[in-house]
Amino acid sequence: MYLRDLGASLLRRWPVVLVGLLLTAALAVGAYMNVPQTWTAKASVLLVPPPTVVGEDGNPYLYLGGLGQALDVLTRRLDAEAVRGPLEDTYPDAEYTVTVDGNSTGPILLIEAEAEAGPDALALVKSIHSQIPQELLGMQADLNVPRNALITASDITVDVNAESDNKRRIQLTGLVAAGGLALTVLLAGIVDGLVNKRRKRSKSPEHAETAESLAVWAQENASTAPHRESLKS
């Protein structure tokens, strides 16, 4: 019932709806054009256990379970200000994240960079990727780990081309469009309610009685007007 009344209200106030739709379309197009297109580049790196754990004839993939803590430390070092600061100065319009792959049980590090230009996104990923060996070596050197017991890194995937990402642009455009439509419906409902209220008031008994009294008063004044004129003359 409510939806039917709402539809009838929108039809009655179609000029308001039309203006609202036009303004909403203009705002949505403006939002889409003004939000810059972004580009993303990614890399994924696997931590590999040392030879002392694997052995000469062992399979490294069978010994990945104990590298979770080392992966957490490496993630924190790559996200520290000592690494992040220079990269942000070099690429002020870009940003990156370094996280642990939550979809895998293995010690996989995920790097994702986002920039307004594809080359910047690729360059930022490569810069972070190049920091991994030295940060991995540094955190183990602090503990005086022997060279034959060092954890190393192996690349899984490293993007060579950045991908266009319109997600942010589409999300903002959708929010603007949804907000404009909601305001249009709300405004049309308010206008329709005010008009209907005014009509009901004009048809109410009090209003009719007042109008009738005014009509009688006007008729009496009109009938006595000639008599008053004659008295004046």
Side-chain angles (χ1 to χ4, degrees), residues 93-162:
D93 297 327
E95 56 185 21
Y96 75 90
T97 57
V98 180
T99 58
V100 176
D101 187 358
N103 297 323
S104 173
T105 57
I108 298 177
L109 183 71
L110 298 180
I111 304 170
E112 183 173 354
E114 183 178 286
E116 296 181 5
D120 288 345
L122 282 175
L124 182 54
V125 163
K126 290 180 180 179
S127 297
I128 304 167
H129 181 264
S130 66
Q131 298 278 345
I132 293 178
Q134 64 187 58
E135 292 296 332
L136 192 57
L137 180 61
M139 60 186 257
Q140 296 176 92
D142 294 340
L143 301 176
N144 298 318
V145 177
R147 182 165 294 275
N148 63 344
L150 291 176
I151 300 172
T152 57
S154 177
D155 294 339
I156 299 178
T157 60
V158 180
D159 286 348
V160 294
N161 295 307

Side-chain angles (χ1 to χ4, degrees), residues 204-229:
S204 63
E206 294 181 358
H207 187 275
E209 183 179 351
T210 302
E212 183 179 356
S213 300
L214 289 175
V216 171
W217 178 83
Q219 185 176 2
E220 291 177 351
N221 284 344
S223 61
T224 58
H227 179 68
R228 288 199 300 267
E229 290 295 333

